[in-house]
Amino acid sequence: MSELIQRHMAPVRAMVYPMVLNHADADDLVQDIFIRVNRGIHRFRKKAQFSTWLYRIAMNTTRSFLRRKYRAPEQAELEKHPAASETSPCPGDNLVHAELDRDIQQALDALPEKLRAAVVLCILQEMEPAEAAQIQQCTRATMYWRIHEARKILKNHLGHHLTP
Amino acid sequence: MNNNLDSLLKNWSRRSRYREDQLSDLLNRTRLAVAEDRERPQAQRTAHPHAWRYILQGAVLASILLIGVYLLIPTRSVSPLDATGIAEHEKNVFREVDRLFDHNLRWAALVNNELKMGIDEEREGPGAEPEFVVRMIIVSREKDQEQWKMLWKADVLARTEEFINVPLDSDAQRLGLWLYRVNGNQYALDAHLNMQTPFVVDFTAMNVVKVGEPRQMMEFEDLSAEYRIYHVIQTLDECSG
């Protein structure tokens, strides 16, 4: 299990952070996800890909967290737009990219959860829509539609950062 | 333009990733958390501590519904569209089932009076409340008759953008549905039905429908009778009148 955590922790965290947009929450979720993986590893069916199973647990755990968070709006509001110093672990990057990073976070935050998940899986993680659909338990057509919708909304929010 | 947007997002993602030392720290904390969890008594570690309670409640409820709902379903109808109206008491069945399971149902369906349910095992705590009931019916009439007879009926509790796969009599036979909002009151419903009994049906169809408006999905006939398949979606919180 220890090796498994070592091998998969970075990609899992890279998947969770853009969903919750808060480093402390992402860290807590990563621990929670691997606890669940450890509890459920005996249920893993070897005919499925391990990474698909793991990422499904990761996205479901994140989804549950987000739904709890948005049901407690006072808390969600406090943590909605984390300070620039928190958004990037590299201080130099903060100076150059502070405004852009803030805009991207706000744009991602404005996306409905399922559309954000499509962006994370298909654009940031560069997964094939078919695999992303398996993780999100929807059809491939739905996944294509979600990516299309998400891109439309993001372009609307981030248009001034995009070159024509 | 997509590439431009994708690059912007990917660069942001790279910038927001942890450095090696931060990852190493998180790795240690995660290993410790997993080890501590492993030390806990089994009863505290169960992913779904209330699973047995759910199963028992489900079994009792299913028995009650089998008796109760059977009395409410009309077997004959002058117009097939009469059977597409989902009454408030029928929605209440789903509301109660969903509440009973703390919104942890991935799906629930009443197929010819038989309650079927799928629990979301990965979900912890309450999920989102379901939004819709999708009804699909198959009606038929003898070629020399006026009246339509209901042959098959399924009501499915649904959320938008979630694929629902309801097993029928065997694994190969199923009703698959997914629903998403196109705009305003219009929804796209993608349906796949594969059934061997009481007759063979295997089709996939996608329609854009308005909430509350029944739509004929397809029709077919054999030597003695004609058949039609209808569907309708209704919001769970809306009175059908």
Side-chain angles (χ1 to χ4, degrees), chain A residues 98-108 157-158 160-161:
Chain A
E99 188 190 341
L100 173 63
D101 286 358
R102 192 194 56 229
D103 288 352
I104 291 174
Q105 285 188 48
Q106 286 178 354
L108 286 171
H157 277 83
L158 299 170
H160 56 292
H161 291 293

Side-chain angles (χ1 to χ4, degrees), chain B residues 2-34:
Chain B
N2 275 348
N3 289 338
N4 193 353
L5 175 70
D6 291 5
S7 305
L8 203 71
L9 294 169
K10 283 178 194 170
N11 288 334
W12 167 80
S13 177
R14 271 192 283 275
R15 285 196 299 277
S16 62
R17 278 181 195 174
Y18 265 181
R19 295 185 309 260
E20 281 302 312
D21 59 321
Q22 291 170 307
L23 277 176
S24 175
D25 176 55
L26 180 59
L27 180 64
N28 290 335
R29 281 188 284 148
T30 305
R31 281 175 173 155
L32 193 66
V34 170

Side-chain angles (χ1 to χ4, degrees), chain A residues 24-96:
Chain A
D25 288 343
D27 286 0
D28 289 346
L29 274 167
V30 166
Q31 293 176 48
D32 196 15
I33 287 160
F34 283 103
I35 286 173
R36 285 171 186 234
V37 167
N38 183 53
R39 288 175 184 175
I41 194 86
H42 61 280
R43 290 205 304 265
F44 169 61
R45 292 186 207 112
K46 291 207 167 57
K47 65 180 178 183
Q49 251 199 325
F50 177 77
S51 58
T52 304
W53 181 76
L54 169 66
Y55 296 155
R56 187 181 293 171
I57 291 177
M59 294 307 270
N60 284 342
T61 308
T62 306
R63 183 178 59 183
S64 297
F65 167 82
L66 287 172
R67 286 180 181 173
R68 280 199 302 272
K69 186 168 172 172
Y70 289 120
R71 281 180 183 189
E74 329 68 57
Q75 192 193 349
E77 195 56 41
L78 281 175
E79 297 177 0
K80 210 169 182 177
H81 302 301
S85 60
E86 198 193 4
T87 60
S88 170
C90 305
D93 285 349
N94 284 339
L95 297 172
V96 180

